[in-house]
Amino acid sequence: MTNAKELPQYPEPFWRENIQFPKYPKLEEKIKVDVAIVGGGIVGVTAAYLLAKQNVKVALIDAGNILNGTTGHTTAKISAQHDIIYDEFIKHFGKENAKLYHEAQMEAKEFVAQTTKELNIDCDYEEQDAIIYTNSDDYITQLENEKAAYDELEIENELTETIPLPVPHKKALIMKNQAQFHPLKFLSVLADEAVKNGAQFYENTTAVDVEYNKHPAVITRDGHRVICKFVFVATHFPFYDGKGFYPTRMYAERSYVLAIKSKKSYPGGMYITAEQPTRSLRSVKINGEEAWLVVGDSHKTGQGKSTIEHYEALQNFAEAHIGVEEILYRWSAQDLTTLDKMPYIGRIAESEESVFVATGFRKWGMTNGIIAAKIISDKILGHENRYSGLYSPSRFQADPSLRKFIRNNADVAKHLIKGKLEFTDNNLSSLSSDDATVTRINGKRAGVYKDKEDKLHVVDTTCTHMGCEVEWNSGERTWDCPCHGSRFTYTGEVVEGPAKRPLERIELE
Ligand code: FES
């Protein structure tokens, strides 16, 4: 019998459980629409909903299944409290822009609240306070500075020494009236509505390029074209770069989630630590019963310890403070951070008039994702949007972005070189079932995974994006790239871009 306190064997996000999604076809022909949206997460689905409602002819294509990427793996906080950020944003972007950022998040929250009412969506939407807390003396001043920033921006708040969370804490900053919901219950209704209004959805259809003739066209891996007036690249990591140099302007991080049944009832609120390693908490209803979502332990993709240890760290935290009766689910998420922590939403590059992008939401994709859908829909419809300047991808400020830009690329270069020089001569006979190693086969650096039936799956570990060496991720059983966050199954298929081509498979004689 399995111990209920053990980690579930396979990562499976709770959000997709018990939701019936329609199956959408694969694109098998050339089509012509007004807008081609690539990527079926919160951004793509919301944009399809908004545009189709205005009688715009939309096609949305996704390389896998709709709502199964980052959006399907979120914590689903609808909050404007994005770690300690407003003090930094005031210093970097100025008070007006910091205020605008907060207003954008609150507008996204309002959109969810209104749409939930309007379409009568049962998506467990509930208002909750958002709380950053710390137990470290080093972070108390930072929280006080952040409180001063809230006051300056007229954000309703409270700085306190007592919160009802059974976790040691010295100080906490509360942002009132934020919210949480079940993202897929909400977005699946938006997807249905979009389709009812004429949007065409296609699954298992991988976009590989954008080409121009008279009009832009999205080219699929099978060679089909979606000819359109506008392209919206909403693929988490942009599948098309348009000379926007996105791989050099963002880095990918992974974080981990446990859904836990505890004897302790959840005290209300959505929590996050100020210090690292992050611990983020919210409640969720699973089969009508309250559970705790325990989230955190993030690290740069492909650069962590054995990934199962991150889940264990969360488990230890939960055992120590919350009490674990059962671990119901575990899953992980990948997030992209820009050089200045402000997402890139707008024209993909100055020279590309009709291609738009939305990416780099850090861990805050629910509100930033919705605001991205609104900004780009407004651009396509020719409407003003007061947030578009704030998020414009063409901004590039020397301080502190440039320093990070250089550091980021040094990091990529280090991984490119390190991976190539690494001497590996592991003995495959000692490899256990359900484990992987990196070795050399016929002079090539090869990643070998031995499955539960002891079958070996061997891939060339050279990432097909820009040639860094992928690393094994034991928690998800994937090969992850430390440079820009591409991920591949153990058989080499792309799970997550920017890579578009699978890892080369190596056949063992
Ligand atoms: Fe860019 Fe792997 S993701 S080299």
Side-chain angles (χ1 to χ4, degrees):
M1 202 180 111
T2 30
N3 178 350
K5 287 189 180 183
E6 272 176 19
L7 289 167
Q9 198 173 11
Y10 289 98
E12 197 61 59
F14 154 68
W15 306 122
R16 281 188 77 84
E17 288 283 294
N18 302 325
I19 300 206
Q20 292 308 322
F21 287 98
K23 287 266 162 276
Y24 298 105
K26 186 172 175 167
L27 182 67
E28 304 277 16
E29 58 182 351
K30 174 167 90 178
I31 55 170
K32 213 168 170 184
V33 290
D34 295 324
V35 181
I37 300 174
V38 184
I42 188 166
V43 179
V45 167
T46 308
Y49 165 75
L50 292 170
L51 289 166
K53 225 166 97 168
Q54 301 300 319
N55 299 320
V56 177
K57 203 170 170 202
V58 172
L60 182 151
I61 65 174
D62 193 284
N65 295 114
I66 304 289
L67 298 172
N68 195 30
T70 304
T71 300
H73 293 72
T74 171
T75 318
K77 292 179 178 175
I78 312 170
S79 170
Q81 189 184 59
H82 297 175
D83 306 314
I84 295 180
I85 195 69
Y86 288 98
D87 182 41
E88 182 178 332
F89 274 3
I90 290 174
K91 288 190 181 113
H92 191 59
F93 296 105
K95 180 180 164 187
E96 286 314 309
N97 283 326
K99 196 168 174 56
L100 212 50
Y101 182 84
H102 176 256
E103 286 168 3
Q105 313 310 311
M106 295 310 285
E107 189 171 313
K109 178 196 162 228
E110 196 48 34
F111 172 84
V112 177
Q114 284 303 328
T115 311
T116 299
K117 255 195 222 145
E118 199 181 302
L119 301 177
N120 204 11
I121 307 175
D122 174 14
C123 63
D124 309 333
Y125 176 88
E126 50 184 38
E127 302 240 325
Q128 297 276 352
D129 290 344
I131 300 131
I132 310 177
Y133 71 94
T134 186
N135 196 39
S136 154
D137 290 334
D138 297 346
Y139 281 85
I140 287 177
T141 316
Q142 287 196 39
L143 273 191
E144 287 167 353
N145 292 343
E146 187 73 352
K147 190 238 180 326
Y150 283 17
D151 289 343
E152 195 178 340
L153 301 175
E154 296 169 42
I155 299 170
E156 198 186 345
N157 74 84
E158 186 189 336
L159 190 65
T160 174
E161 281 163 16
T162 324
I163 50 172
L165 196 68
V167 174
H169 56 269
K170 291 182 172 164
K171 207 138 230 167
L173 178 61
I174 304 173
M175 187 186 278
K176 306 275 187 187
N177 304 325
Q178 305 304 302
Q180 62 185 28
F181 72 154
H182 187 309
L184 268 53
K185 283 187 184 172
F186 177 78
L187 289 165
S188 57
V189 175
L190 261 56
D192 288 348
E193 286 291 312
V195 171
K196 265 191 228 154
N197 287 325
Q200 305 168 51
F201 281 20
Y202 298 95
E203 294 183 318
N204 303 308
T205 304
T206 306
V208 291
D209 206 359
V210 174
E211 280 180 12
Y212 290 88
N213 199 336
K214 210 161 123 205
H215 294 293
V218 174
I219 315 297
T220 73
R221 181 174 290 156
D222 295 341
H224 301 300
R225 304 173 98 74
V226 183
I227 301 166
C228 53
K229 294 179 190 142
F230 299 102
V231 178
F232 186 7
V233 178
T235 47
H236 195 220
F237 204 110
F239 82 96
Y240 169 75
D241 194 61
K243 298 206 182 72
F245 302 105
Y246 289 91
T248 63
R249 297 165 65 187
M250 291 193 293
Y251 65 88
E253 279 196 325
R254 298 199 65 69
S255 51
Y256 300 84
V257 186
L258 297 181
I260 283 171
K261 196 169 149 190
S262 165
K263 278 213 177 83
K264 285 192 187 156
S265 54
Y266 192 86
M270 305 181 295
Y271 300 85
I272 193 162
T273 51
E275 59 267 39
Q276 300 287 335
T278 311
R279 297 288 179 258
S280 164
L281 295 150
R282 63 159 278 191
S283 63
V284 67
K285 282 254 178 310
I286 296 185
N287 300 326
E289 283 187 39
E290 185 180 79
W292 296 57
L293 285 192
V294 181
V295 186
D297 235 54
S298 51
H299 62 89
K300 273 194 164 184
T301 301
Q303 298 185 26
K305 48 197 175 193
S306 159
T307 48
I308 208 76
E309 289 178 30
H310 295 286
Y311 288 112
E312 286 164 358
L314 292 180
Q315 183 178 0
N316 293 340
F317 168 83
E319 297 272 7
H321 304 297
I322 298 163
V324 177
E325 279 206 327
E326 191 177 350
I327 302 176
L328 304 165
Y329 294 88
R330 74 169 171 100
W331 69 91
S332 65
Q334 181 145 308
D335 295 291
L336 297 165
T337 299
T338 68
L339 298 175
D340 55 13
K341 300 189 184 162
M342 185 69 74
Y344 300 131
I345 303 169
R347 218 183 259 167
I348 200 157
E350 280 300 282
S351 54
E352 306 241 6
E353 292 259 320
S354 28
V355 182
F356 300 106
V357 71
T359 189
F361 301 153
R362 273 195 310 142
K363 296 179 180 68
W364 306 103
M366 295 295 102
T367 49
N368 276 316
I370 283 169
I371 224 60
K374 292 187 100 185
I375 290 172
I376 303 304
S377 305
D378 280 346
K379 279 194 183 291
I380 289 168
L381 293 165
H383 300 161
E384 275 293 309
N385 186 303
R386 67 196 193 100
Y387 306 115
S388 62
L390 175 70
Y391 288 107
S392 168
S394 59
R395 73 178 181 274
F396 201 79
Q397 310 211 14
D399 181 24
S401 299
L402 199 55
R403 285 200 300 276
K404 277 202 192 151
F405 176 85
I406 292 160
R407 213 183 309 137
N408 253 8
N409 285 298
D411 205 28
V412 168
K414 184 180 85 192
H415 281 281
L416 264 166
I417 294 160
K418 178 177 161 266
K420 307 294 175 199
L421 293 181
E422 210 173 15
F423 178 73
T424 53
D425 191 17
N426 291 335
N427 188 348
L428 291 186
S429 57
S430 58
L431 185 63
S432 335
S433 290
D434 196 23
D435 201 1
T437 188
V438 173
T439 186
R440 276 194 188 282
I441 294 173
N442 299 333
K444 266 192 184 165
R445 192 178 186 272
V448 184
Y449 169 67
K450 189 190 258 187
D451 69 18
K452 295 215 169 79
E453 277 77 48
D454 287 347
K455 185 169 178 243
L456 296 177
H457 303 267
V458 189
V459 291
D460 183 334
T461 51
T462 311
C463 177
T464 55
H465 176 231
M466 284 169 67
C468 290
E469 296 297 330
V470 296
E471 300 289 341
W472 181 242
N473 170 343
S474 57
E476 323 298 308
R477 298 172 178 84
T478 52
W479 293 103
D480 295 354
C481 182
C483 289
H484 313 109
S486 289
R487 300 178 57 233
F488 305 85
T489 64
Y490 58 76
T491 54
E493 295 304 316
V494 177
V495 178
E496 196 144 351
K500 292 173 198 153
R501 285 177 295 110
L503 295 176
E504 193 187 316
R505 294 187 66 145
I506 299 174
E507 298 303 334
L508 295 174
E509 283 99 55

